[in-house]
């Protein structure tokens, strides 16, 4: 028995050694590529070492309830040495992280399995503490049972509390409900632990990928390491079409992944086995990778489902009647409806065209002849036939995408001239120009933005603002003014880096890096101050300006002061915008103010869980309130939708969403003001 254990022990470390050697090889290749091509490469020194170590440790034990103080101190000896290891191509230190992490996970599993058999005391005087900052690593071996008993009790009390907003309806049934929540809590915890410990490619593989990503992120937040599967998934997300199962999914109120839409003509619809609201319990591919939805991360599940390297996916689903069955689906090339541009007519005193651009998708894989710019042109053609008097382009929550599509889109509204200035790591300036004479639309434009408008959408909004071609309305954008490209590490095409190669500047020489694109007319936006923008990343590139030779002819701004004044007056007197301002004060306090220690009793946890009920009711009321703006299809789409029941359902949903959007109503009012001033 001892001999067998020794063989297994040596085999394990032999495999770890092989993996650490491969990691070192990849790190070396990544570093060479970054130092040669990155817009602003940094030295591999102590600063990198500290950033990578701290970020890596935070990812492994964010709650400070996994490692002991001794284990952390033992790993901490590497904190200032990672740069030396990397330069010396000695990555054996990763083996120590892997073995320590695995040992800590096994200990956590044993601790939870022991607590699972116990009768938990909900009448103790224990409290739980909350902190916006990280707790120190100060636990000893004997502390874990105490810490995890408290954590488990809190999770169970929280789960029971969420079952109803009425304490009196829960209290008489607490014992029964506690058993249900306890079973669910331990099942989730242990399932997640087993998922990590028995990961298809091993813990060391996942930690290696995390480490490589953190190393890349030191140079800037948008430089990332990609395996072939991750690269395929990322590219698919930016494409207008690709291999698809023909379903869209969402989270329900129980945070289960459910089928929200079945696309006509797709694999799911053809199977005749899937229905809307089916719960997805498990996903697997033909390579032996399998994830239980209740305990795997959404990133893992998403990568498995959406990566084009997985041609077939088996979904284990639960029907409404409780029946559980497997469904094997073979992907097929389909138009990605969630990426597609769409348009409507928004009316309030005049007829205004509305175009929504979800992201700047492009057909990277050659399945389709066009990207979002061509799709926008088609929507404008439809809207012009309905004699619109202005155009609203909605970039709210548009996370960006293809820069080429953004350049093409600017060119559709600007006759001719420079669009932006790209600067590489050699400080070479390249002026991006619109070489196509003419425009597809000559009327007034309002562009809607918010804190989630990023990258290519900022690029487009900034160029339109510099030319005074559109009035920018909403809140400050994310603040990303860098351009990335996915480059292979070698000829094998198995490992890639999404690398920041250039920084782009406005034709004025200014930049919106970190600063964001500032709206001409600012409007209150829910959650605006807690949106994670570029300036929240430690390694974000800094804001600066350049002197540029770009020459351009901007449109007149003579009406802007009056338009801004009229809009600001409406905004100040708008009950909904004032309610957003009021609610944001409460949301900011909820997220930013320190939280007091909470006694671990049912009444106290229930009160804490439901303390924000009134606030969320206010938020829901704000988001569901309809405007006085009428939303209808353009005449072309109205005729097309009339004969398609499935599209009618999607269409009705979109109209309902747009009817509750106060920014569209204000954009229409601004365009009405503009047209009245011009008369």
């Amino acid at each position: 028995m001892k001999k067998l254990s020794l063989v297994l022990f040596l085999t394990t470390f032999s495999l770890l050694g092989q993996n650490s050697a491969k990691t070192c090889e990849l790190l070396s290749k990544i570093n060479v590529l970054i130092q040669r091509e990155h817009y602003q490469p940094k030295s591999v020194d102590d600063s990198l070492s500290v950033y990578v170590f701290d970020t890596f440790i935070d990812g492994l034990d964010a709650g400070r309830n996994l490692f002991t103080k001794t284990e952390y101190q033992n790993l901490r000896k590497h904190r200032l040495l990672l740069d030396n290891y990397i330069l010396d191509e000695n990555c054996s230190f990763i083996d120590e992280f892997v073995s320590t992490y695995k040992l800590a996970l096994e200990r956590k599993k044993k601790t939870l399995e022991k607590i699972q058999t116990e009768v938990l005391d909900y009448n103790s005087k224990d409290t739980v503490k909350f902190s916006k900052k990280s707790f120190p690593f100060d636990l000893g071996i004997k502390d874990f049972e105490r810490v995890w008993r408290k954590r488990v009790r809190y999770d169970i009390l929280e789960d029971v509390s969420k079952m109803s907003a009425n304490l009196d309806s829960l209290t008489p049934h607490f014992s029964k409900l506690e058993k249900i929540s306890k079973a669910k809590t331990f099942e989730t915890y242990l399932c997640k632990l087993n998922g990590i410990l028995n990961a298809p490619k091993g813990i060391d593989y996942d930690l290696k990928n995390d480490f490589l990503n953190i190393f890349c992120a030191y140079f800037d937040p948008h430089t990332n390491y990609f395996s072939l599967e991750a690269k395929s998934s990322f590219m698919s997300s930016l494409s207008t079409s690709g291999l698809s199962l023909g379903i869209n999914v969402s989270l329900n109120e129980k945070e289960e992944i459910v089928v929200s839409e079945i696309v006509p003509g797709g694999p799911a619809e053809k199977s005749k086995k899937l229905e809307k609201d089916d719960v997805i319990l498990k996903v697997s591919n033909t390579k032996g990778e399998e994830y239980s939805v209740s305990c795997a991360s959404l990133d893992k599940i998403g990568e498995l489902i959406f990566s084009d390297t997985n041609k077939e996916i088996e979904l284990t689903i639960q029907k409404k009647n409780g029946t559980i069955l497997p469904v094997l689906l073979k992907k097929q090339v389909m138009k990605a409806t969630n990426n597609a541009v769409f348009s409507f007519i928004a009316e309030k005193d005049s007829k205004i065209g509305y175009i929504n651009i979800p992201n700047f998708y492009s057909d990277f894989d050659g399945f389709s002849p066009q990207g979002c710019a061509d799709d926008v042109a088609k929507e404008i053609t439809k809207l012009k036939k309905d004699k619109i008097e202005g155009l609203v382009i909605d970039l709210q929550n548009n996370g960006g995408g293809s820069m080429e599509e953004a350049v093409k889109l600017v060119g559709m509204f600007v006759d001719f001239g420079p669009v932006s200035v790209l600067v590489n790591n050699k400080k070479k300036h390249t002026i991006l120009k619109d070489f196509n004479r003419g425009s597809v639309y000559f009327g007034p434009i309002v562009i809607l933005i918010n804190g989630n408008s990023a990258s290519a959408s900022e690029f487009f909004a900034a160029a339109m603002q510099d030319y005074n071609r559109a009035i920018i309305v909403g809140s400050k954008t994310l603040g990303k003014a860098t351009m990335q490209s996915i480059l292979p590490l070698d000829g094998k095409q198995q490992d890639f880096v999404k690398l920041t190669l250039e920084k782009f500047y406005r034709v004025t020489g200014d930049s919106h890096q970190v600063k964001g694109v500032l709206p001409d007319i600012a409007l209150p936006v829910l959650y605006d101050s807690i949106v994670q923008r570029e300036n929240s990343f430690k390694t974000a590139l800094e804001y600066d300006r350049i002197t540029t030779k770009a020459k351009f002819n901007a449109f007149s701004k003579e009406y802007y002061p009056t338009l801004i004044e009229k809009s600001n007056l409406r905004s100040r007197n708008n009950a909904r915008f004032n309610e957003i301002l009021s609610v944001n004060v409460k949301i900011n306090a909820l997220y930013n103010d320190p939280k007091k220690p909470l006694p671990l009793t049912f009444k106290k946890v229930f009160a804490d869980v439901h303390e924000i009920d009134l606030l969320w009711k206010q938020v829901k009321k704000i988001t569901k309130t309809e405007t006085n703006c009428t939303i209808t299809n353009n005449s072309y789409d109205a005729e097309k939708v009339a004969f398609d029941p499935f599209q009618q359902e999607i269409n009705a949903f979109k109209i309902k969403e747009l009817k509750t959007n106060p920014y569209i109503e204000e954009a229409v009012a601004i365009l009405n003001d503009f047209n009245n001033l011009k008369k």
Side-chain angles (χ1 to χ4, degrees):
M1 186 69 182
K2 288 183 178 179
K3 184 177 180 182
L4 178 60
S5 299
L6 181 61
V7 169
L8 287 172
F9 184 77
L10 290 173
T11 303
T12 301
F13 272 85
S14 173
L15 290 172
L16 284 174
Q18 291 173 24
N19 285 325
S20 65
K22 186 182 177 185
T23 302
C24 249
E25 183 184 348
L26 283 172
L27 266 173
S28 179
K29 289 178 180 178
I30 290 170
N31 188 40
V32 168
L33 182 64
I34 287 176
Q35 297 301 329
R36 185 180 70 236
E37 302 290 348
H38 193 276
Y39 172 77
Q40 199 171 74
K42 305 174 189 175
S43 300
V44 176
D45 56 17
D46 284 353
S47 295
L48 176 141
S49 189
V50 168
Y51 173 83
V52 172
F53 177 85
D54 289 349
T55 308
F56 194 46
I57 283 288
D58 284 342
L60 297 179
D61 190 9
R64 304 299 191 254
N65 51 28
L66 188 65
F67 294 134
T68 65
K69 182 177 182 179
T70 302
E71 286 167 341
Y72 170 70
Q73 291 294 344
N74 189 47
L75 292 175
R76 200 177 189 278
K77 68 175 181 278
H78 300 295
R79 190 168 183 257
L80 292 173
L81 298 173
L82 297 183
D83 55 317
N84 298 347
Y85 301 150
I86 292 166
L87 293 173
D88 293 340
E89 296 190 21
N90 175 14
C91 295
S92 58
F93 68 92
I94 290 180
D95 300 345
E96 191 173 345
F97 279 88
V98 172
S99 57
T100 305
Y101 184 51
K102 188 173 182 179
L103 180 69
L105 290 172
E106 294 283 8
R107 179 176 59 229
K108 178 179 173 181
K109 183 180 177 182
K110 287 179 181 177
T111 301
L112 288 170
E113 286 173 338
K114 180 183 178 184
I115 297 171
Q116 187 179 21
T117 63
E118 300 174 354
V119 176
L120 299 175
D121 180 10
Y122 297 99
N123 297 308
S124 69
K125 295 182 180 180
D126 286 338
T127 59
V128 289
K129 295 179 181 178
F130 305 89
S131 176
K132 303 294 179 184
K133 298 178 181 179
S134 294
F135 289 107
F137 288 92
D138 59 1
L139 297 181
I141 288 290
K142 296 179 180 179
D143 295 318
F144 282 100
E145 285 189 25
R146 173 182 57 82
V147 167
W148 279 105
R149 276 194 192 92
K150 288 171 64 173
R151 175 60 190 269
V152 165
R153 276 185 289 157
Y154 174 79
D155 287 345
I156 293 169
L157 291 173
E158 183 185 44
D159 188 61
V160 174
S161 297
K162 287 179 178 178
M163 292 179 183
S164 171
N166 186 333
L167 180 63
D168 292 337
S169 69
L170 295 175
T171 303
H173 309 289
F174 179 77
S175 295
K176 181 181 177 181
L177 297 174
E178 187 270 347
K179 288 179 182 177
I180 296 170
S181 288
K182 182 181 179 184
K184 185 171 74 173
T185 299
F186 278 101
E187 181 186 3
T188 301
Y189 267 129
L190 293 171
C191 185
K192 285 183 177 179
L193 278 170
N194 287 327
I196 299 171
L197 287 166
N198 303 312
K201 296 183 181 179
I203 290 179
D204 55 322
Y205 176 84
D206 290 336
L207 262 60
K208 176 209 77 174
N209 280 0
D210 291 342
F211 188 88
L212 294 175
N213 248 320
I214 293 166
F215 175 83
C216 290
Y218 171 72
F219 297 91
D220 79 281
H222 310 291
T223 291
N224 308 108
Y225 163 73
F226 280 157
S227 64
L228 180 61
E229 291 84 359
K231 182 245 185 184
S232 176
S233 181
F234 176 78
M235 296 300 286
S236 294
S237 72
L238 296 179
S239 180
T240 183
S241 56
L243 290 169
S244 172
L245 298 175
I247 60 169
N248 290 324
V249 297
S250 61
L251 292 176
N252 65 12
E253 67 280 358
K254 298 179 183 177
E255 297 190 350
E256 297 168 322
I257 296 180
V258 297
V259 176
S260 60
E261 180 183 338
I262 299 174
V263 182
E269 193 260 343
K270 290 176 182 176
S271 76
K272 306 299 182 187
K273 294 181 179 179
L274 284 165
E275 298 173 286
K276 190 176 178 182
D277 296 326
D278 283 347
V279 178
I280 299 176
L281 303 176
K282 192 163 55 178
V283 297
S284 60
N285 62 12
T286 56
K287 303 169 189 173
E289 293 177 278
E290 180 178 284
Y291 294 114
S292 173
V293 171
S294 65
C295 58
S297 71
L298 291 177
D299 286 344
K300 290 278 187 189
I301 295 166
E303 186 175 313
L304 189 70
I305 291 177
F306 298 115
S307 173
D308 284 351
T309 60
N310 295 317
K311 309 294 183 185
E312 289 185 326
I313 293 290
E314 184 174 271
L315 305 177
T316 302
I317 61 166
Q318 184 172 36
K319 313 295 283 186
K320 288 180 181 178
N321 64 4
T323 304
I324 295 174
L325 72 151
V327 181
L328 183 66
L329 300 175
K330 187 174 182 178
K331 293 180 180 179
Q332 69 183 56
V333 175
M334 298 184 68
K335 183 82 173 177
T337 55
N338 60 320
N339 277 347
V341 166
F342 61 85
S343 71
F344 285 91
I345 300 288
E347 281 190 80
K348 189 178 179 184
D349 301 325
S350 68
K351 192 180 287 186
I352 302 297
Y354 169 85
I355 294 179
N356 184 290
I357 307 176
N359 61 54
F360 283 81
Y361 55 83
S362 180
D363 184 52
F364 293 106
D365 296 315
F367 291 129
S368 173
Q370 74 269 332
C372 78
D374 288 322
D375 286 347
V376 169
K378 289 178 181 178
E379 298 304 316
I380 289 174
T381 300
K382 297 176 192 175
L383 294 169
K384 283 164 70 174
K385 288 180 179 177
D386 286 333
K387 311 295 185 189
I388 60 170
E389 297 179 59
L391 181 64
V392 178
I393 298 176
D394 194 345
L395 300 180
Q396 295 176 105
N397 305 314
N398 180 319
S402 167
M403 207 63 68
E404 290 180 12
E405 293 296 321
V407 173
K408 284 173 65 178
L409 196 59
V410 175
M412 291 183 181
F413 304 105
V414 174
D415 184 32
F416 179 82
V419 173
S420 181
V421 182
L422 290 182
V423 180
N424 65 13
N425 61 2
K426 305 290 191 299
K427 303 306 175 187
K428 179 187 174 184
H429 291 205
T430 301
I431 298 176
L432 295 181
K433 293 182 179 181
D434 162 37
F435 289 105
N436 298 317
R437 289 285 185 182
S439 303
V440 297
Y441 179 74
F442 297 94
I445 302 171
V446 165
I447 294 175
L448 299 177
I449 58 171
N450 63 14
N452 292 316
S453 304
S455 193
S457 61
E458 295 178 277
F459 178 102
F460 173 71
M464 295 287 278
Q465 187 177 50
D466 289 337
Y467 273 89
N468 302 329
R469 185 62 189 90
I471 300 168
I472 312 300
V473 175
S475 63
K476 184 177 74 172
T477 61
L478 183 132
K480 176 182 177 290
T482 56
M483 194 157 73
Q484 290 72 39
S485 185
I486 297 179
L487 304 177
L489 285 180
D490 52 36
K492 296 177 183 177
Q493 301 280 317
Q494 293 296 310
D495 299 280
F496 304 81
V497 174
K498 178 164 71 73
L499 189 62
T500 297
L501 299 176
E502 293 165 305
K503 194 172 178 182
F504 54 86
Y505 293 80
R506 300 169 72 142
V507 287
T508 60
D510 197 10
S511 172
H512 63 261
Q513 175 61 23
V514 173
K515 177 181 174 182
V517 175
L518 305 179
D520 299 307
I521 297 174
L523 295 176
V525 175
L526 273 171
Y527 309 114
D528 189 57
S529 66
I530 61 172
V531 169
Q532 189 179 44
R533 289 178 166 88
E534 186 81 356
N535 59 5
S536 64
F537 294 106
K538 291 180 181 178
T539 59
L541 299 183
E542 294 180 351
Y543 162 83
D544 64 343
R545 291 180 58 93
I546 60 169
T547 301
T548 175
K549 295 179 181 179
K551 305 294 182 185
F552 67 103
N553 296 314
F555 289 72
S556 169
K557 289 181 69 172
E558 62 175 308
Y559 299 119
Y560 274 42
T562 305
L563 295 173
I564 292 169
E565 184 181 350
K566 284 177 173 288
S567 180
N568 287 341
L569 181 61
R570 271 192 303 270
S571 176
R572 285 196 296 270
N573 293 314
N574 185 297
R576 192 169 179 187
F577 286 144
N578 284 321
E579 198 169 358
I580 289 173
L581 289 170
S582 173
V583 164
N584 274 349
V585 171
K586 298 173 185 176
I587 291 171
N588 293 342
L590 181 67
Y591 277 86
N592 298 322
D593 291 353
K595 193 173 180 178
K596 295 178 181 178
L598 181 68
L600 268 177
T601 64
F602 181 45
K603 283 187 178 180
K604 291 294 184 181
V605 173
F606 179 90
D608 182 68
V609 167
H610 292 284
E611 184 182 14
I612 58 174
D613 284 359
L614 184 59
L615 176 59
W616 297 134
K617 282 181 182 178
Q618 286 181 272
V619 169
K620 192 172 182 179
K621 176 177 172 287
I622 290 171
T623 58
K624 297 296 181 183
T625 301
E626 290 195 354
T627 67
N628 294 316
C629 209
T630 302
I631 307 293
T632 57
N633 287 108
N634 60 65
S635 53
Y636 176 88
D637 286 343
E639 188 175 336
K640 187 178 176 182
V641 168
F643 301 99
D644 189 333
F646 178 75
Q647 288 299 327
Q648 286 171 13
E649 187 179 336
I650 296 174
N651 191 63
F653 175 80
K654 287 179 178 176
I655 289 176
K656 185 178 179 181
E657 289 287 298
L658 297 179
K659 278 280 292 178
T660 62
N661 190 322
Y663 308 102
I664 297 175
E665 184 178 40
E666 179 55 28
V668 170
I670 292 166
L671 289 167
N672 285 340
D673 287 341
F674 181 86
N675 289 328
N676 290 332
L677 287 169
K678 285 198 72 176
K679 287 179 181 177

